[in-house]
Amino acid sequence: AAKQSGRNQYAFFSPRMNQQLQQRIEVLQGVHTALEQGQFYLDYQPILDLADGRIRGAEALLRWQHPERGLIPPGQFIPTIEDSDLIGPVTEWVARQAVQDLLLLQQQQPGFAVSINISGAALHQKTTRDFLIKLKQSQRVPDNGLHVELTETSMMRHLDDCRQTLQQWKETGINIWVDDFGTGYSSLSYLHQLPIDGLKIDRSFVRELKPGSNSSLVATIMTLADMMQLKVVTEGIETRDQRDCITRLGPCFGQGFGLYRPMSLAALQALLEREPSAPDDTPTRPQP
Ligand code: C2E
Ligand code: MG
Ligand code: MG
Ligand code: MG
């Protein structure tokens, strides 16, 4: 491309590539600054047990409050930092903050769980892997309190790294979820090879639900999960109809704008304050 452009033999990049590169550099520098200057924070989206409607946990979602550009959602910077040295420090920042918040939330509701998202790229970084284990142990996080979500695609891409890391996390008492389940190319056999606790059904399947029908992909995945003794969170529940439809299919957890939107830690604490407390041993299925 440099030769064909003709004008300048030193121009290795076309104008478009140049612009992309510049944007990338801006994001990387920006994230570096964000870590240094405390521009990141976490929102929490509650996860409910649909059988009794109670909040059992929340997913931590990363937010970047940029001084000039305002609020930047994770989709606009996580993919850029995934193949850079910054994914490690960002993941560790999220984990540290989430654990701090988790311990507060557990004072309000014992058994409360907080999920964090882990990029496949972070699995490659030994420091990040070990960091999570040390964090869990040094902060005395109760078992099953800290959950990690990995997308199906990143698990498949990093299967070898994944197996060992997930095994170690699992042994430490961290729970493991497959995020955006159903959107990847996975064969089911990999599920057996990994110490997975549950599946988060991608919201695209919820959108396709038809009231009164049992023949949805959500139903199929729930049957599969039941056979494999995996828990299920259905993501992206936006309407009452969707919620009712899913609740009828079987026991599962739910998350979505129609239940609760992502909110600040303070808002979540206020919400739990108003909720009747749910003892951890409350059965989630009605007794016969
Ligand atoms: P995700 O892990 O699948 O998280 C759920 C996303 O769906 C969130 O978007 C959430 O706000 C959105 N959502 C929840 N309920 C609904 C609904 O009913 N309808 C619709 N349309 N959307 C809903 P968000 O916060 O923009 O995050 C997007 C993605 O960014 C996440 O998808 C996750 O893959 C990634 N992400 C977020 N925080 C982190 C993080 O700390 N680390 C890493 N590596 N990735 C993160
Ligand atoms: Mg997630
Ligand atoms: Mg998801
Ligand atoms: Mg997603």
Side-chain angles (χ1 to χ4, degrees), residues 3-41:
K3 263 189 184 158
Q4 281 151 12
S5 79
R7 273 193 287 150
N8 180 350
Q9 59 175 324
Y10 298 108
F12 288 101
F13 300 107
S14 68
R16 208 176 73 83
M17 279 167 73
N18 199 12
Q19 201 196 347
Q20 281 174 349
L21 186 68
Q22 243 164 37
Q23 275 173 4
R24 184 175 153 79
I25 290 168
E26 256 171 57
V27 170
L28 295 180
Q29 280 172 345
V31 167
H32 187 83
T33 308
L35 280 169
E36 272 184 344
Q37 303 192 349
Q39 295 167 6
F40 285 131
Y41 68 92

Side-chain angles (χ1 to χ4, degrees), residues 39-60:
Q39 295 167 6
F40 285 131
Y41 68 92
L42 296 178
D43 267 348
Y44 288 94
Q45 187 175 30
I47 297 172
L48 272 60
D49 186 339
L50 292 178
D52 61 11
R54 279 174 165 162
I55 300 171
R56 294 308 171 108
E59 177 174 6

Side-chain angles (χ1 to χ4, degrees), residues 45 59 62-63 74 117 119 179-180 203 235-236 238 257:
Q45 187 175 30
E59 177 174 6
L62 184 56
R63 304 290 181 249
N117 292 282
S119 295
D179 205 353
D180 303 345
R203 64 169 182 267
E235 288 193 275
E238 294 184 348
F257 292 168

Side-chain angles (χ1 to χ4, degrees), residues 59 117 149 151 179-181 200-203 235 255:
E59 177 174 6
N117 292 282
E149 300 183 5
T151 65
D179 205 353
D180 303 345
F181 183 78
K200 296 192 77 170
I201 302 181
D202 191 70
R203 64 169 182 267
E235 288 193 275
Q255 182 182 349

